[in-house]
Amino acid sequence: MSERNPARDRRRAQEFDAFVAGAAGRLLHAATLLTAEPAGANPCAQQLLTAALARTYADWDRLRGEDPYDRTRQELATRFARGAWRHHRSRGGVLARLSPQERLILVLRLYEGVAEEQTAALLGIPADRVRAICTRAVAVMRSAPPRPPAARLRAAS
């Protein structure tokens, strides 16, 4: 068993804190889109992100040049996919009309800009299936009637 190195632990914590300070906002937004919660009330998204960040912190010393943002996003997507049944009920978020799988693919492909092949590999499905689901999800979102101005104002506050 290795001995604790306080200087290394402190440096590790500082590096991770800097990463979280720069990436947490975007990752929380992605998690909020995945869970289909409103931006102001997103406890499931916060819990999902906390678990993904905890895993990234646990693996921090083993990243060895790997982008921690990519690792955290992958962990976020994996955790969401494993527990997607919990996020099936509509909570009034922007993507609430989509199924959990459609939300996951739409967020990875369009919000995060993950390549189709990478998304397919992450989810374990063929790339043409990712393309079809993404196309269907975009069509559903485009067909959505616009929310009345009063509803938009309430959602923004």
Side-chain angles (χ1 to χ4, degrees):
M1 183 173 234
S2 65
E3 292 182 32
R4 308 254 326 144
N5 183 337
R8 188 186 68 210
D9 290 346
R10 198 170 27 257
R11 180 179 35 84
R12 177 182 192 234
Q14 288 172 340
E15 289 173 355
F16 184 75
D17 287 346
F19 162 68
V20 171
R26 184 170 174 92
L27 287 166
L28 179 60
H29 187 73
T32 301
L33 291 171
L34 288 173
T35 58
E37 295 174 301
N42 54 2
C44 291
Q46 290 175 14
Q47 184 178 21
L48 188 64
L49 178 58
T50 300
L53 286 170
R55 178 60 186 255
T56 300
Y57 184 72
D59 293 342
W60 193 258
D61 291 333
R62 291 184 295 271
L63 291 179
R64 293 193 174 89
E66 187 179 342
D67 184 1
Y69 185 88
D70 288 343
R71 173 68 75 91
T72 307
R73 180 181 57 217
Q74 182 178 356
E75 183 66 25
L76 189 70
T78 302
R79 285 180 179 277
F80 176 78
R82 268 188 278 162
W85 58 271
R86 289 184 227 138
H87 306 289
H88 195 63
R89 191 183 71 220
S90 174
R91 292 185 174 94
V94 175
L95 302 179
R97 296 181 59 222
L98 301 176
S99 72
Q101 185 181 44
E102 290 169 333
R103 288 195 306 262
L104 179 57
I105 289 173
L106 200 66
V107 168
L108 288 174
R109 292 282 299 123
L110 302 181
Y111 181 73
E112 288 292 323
V114 177
E116 202 170 84
E117 295 77 21
Q118 285 179 292
T119 302
L122 177 65
L123 301 178
I125 59 177
D128 59 339
R129 180 92 174 114
V130 168
R131 188 177 318 112
I133 292 170
C134 189
T135 301
R136 183 178 62 228
V138 168
V140 167
M141 293 307 294
R142 284 185 177 155
S143 70
R147 294 189 322 196
R152 278 189 293 236
L153 291 175
R154 281 192 302 265
S157 53

